[in-house]
Amino acid sequence: MTAHKKPAAMTARLLRAAGDRIARRDKPNRRLCIVNYHRILAMPDPLLAAEPDVNAFRWQVELLADCFNVMPLHEALAAQQAGDLPPRAVCITFDDGYRSVYELAVPILKDCGVHATVFVTTGYLGKGSMWNDRIIEAVQRHEAGSVDLRHIGLGNHPLKTMEDRRKLIDSLTARAKYLPPDGRAMMIRELETSLGSRRSPPLMLTPRQVGELARQGIEIGGHTVSHPILTSLEDETACYEIAACKTQLESLTGRPVRLFAYPNGKPGKDFNERHIRMTREAGFVAAFTTALGAATREHDRFQLPRCRPWDRTPSLFGLRLLRWLAGQGQ
Ligand SMILES: [Zn+2]
């Protein structure tokens, strides 16, 4: 960890004191910040600016452990319902089931003595990369200064600068995200053929690692089988996606899988009332969205928002969490 990232003792004291004031004011209706990570990078990558590298993740977790009360998610939800959530309550979650959670994040969580929940997409376990990462990998590896994708209806793009690559990744991802699963798979295959992509080492957890995480005390939650946009599916398929990931994860971990995160997670757009009902009927007890904010006691237990405080310095990172805990803005 770089020394300048460590929150000064004074900053940590101020964050704790401000958090306690908010908690005194709001008792018994205290808010809960559920931080939402995906992948941890071994080193910074300009094409993945939203994902923390392992050094950033370390100072973030150290700050959470030092200035906040990091709780197991299931316990925090129960305490919130009972009106006795401790001050400065925070939970850590990871979506998708990246191998870097096992390899890079968990050792840091253990060092800091904090708990986390990992929402796993079962269909990718031990099988390489998710579609969005395959787009990134294809664009990352393409060496020419431009790319012509007109033959597959995806335009002609310059690839001279990092910004060009970022733009192309964003536009291909936006395009692929809402395609039906078959159409999306075809688009990715055509893209990889056109860009001459080699497949990278697998990015996702193996089934054995999921079992190992559960044995180490990490809670495993469901995140569907194939990470579809639920609203793009027939009800029968959506139902299968939600229920099958639960049974698959329960057989891998030997424990009940109680929590679920909606893929992509935008309420009303990526899932709706029907999917909330399916999630409840599958036996989950709470579900999480990608709507931004802290969870309150009034939130529907099946539409809980989460926080992404990706500020570059510990004090801004901590202050943003406090603002959410205070119920202010984003
Ligand atoms: Zn996801």
Side-chain angles (χ1 to χ4, degrees), residues 60 115 151 244-245 314:
Q60 290 171 5
H115 194 275
H151 60 292
C245 79

Side-chain angles (χ1 to χ4, degrees), residues 262-313:
Y262 302 99
N264 217 49
K266 290 196 184 59
K269 183 165 195 227
D270 300 329
F271 68 93
N272 59 32
E273 289 299 326
R274 296 203 310 284
H275 308 108
I276 294 172
R277 199 186 62 239
M278 290 172 197
T279 305
R280 198 187 295 272
E281 284 171 3
F284 290 103
V285 301
F288 302 85
T289 74
T290 56
L292 274 184
T296 66
R297 209 141 70 122
E298 284 70 44
H299 273 107
D300 175 356
R301 296 290 92 182
F302 284 80
Q303 294 193 75
L304 292 162
R306 287 185 286 174
C307 304
R308 287 186 293 284
W310 303 154
D311 297 281
R312 301 287 168 187
T313 69

Side-chain angles (χ1 to χ4, degrees), residues 47 131-143 147 159 165 168-169 172 188 191-200:
L47 290 179
W131 65 268
N132 51 313
D133 292 313
R134 286 168 64 186
I135 292 178
I136 295 167
E137 284 165 1
V139 174
Q140 212 162 26
R141 287 169 184 279
H142 191 69
E143 282 168 8
V147 56
L159 271 190
R165 285 178 196 270
L168 179 58
I169 289 169
L172 293 171
I188 305 292
L191 184 70
E192 288 179 334
T193 310
S194 307
L195 292 175
S197 161
R198 281 180 295 120
R199 300 296 281 278
S200 309

Side-chain angles (χ1 to χ4, degrees), residues 38 95-96 121 130 223 227 262-264:
H38 286 79
D95 282 12
D96 301 335
T121 306
M130 294 202 349
H223 197 43
H227 206 280
Y262 302 99
N264 217 49

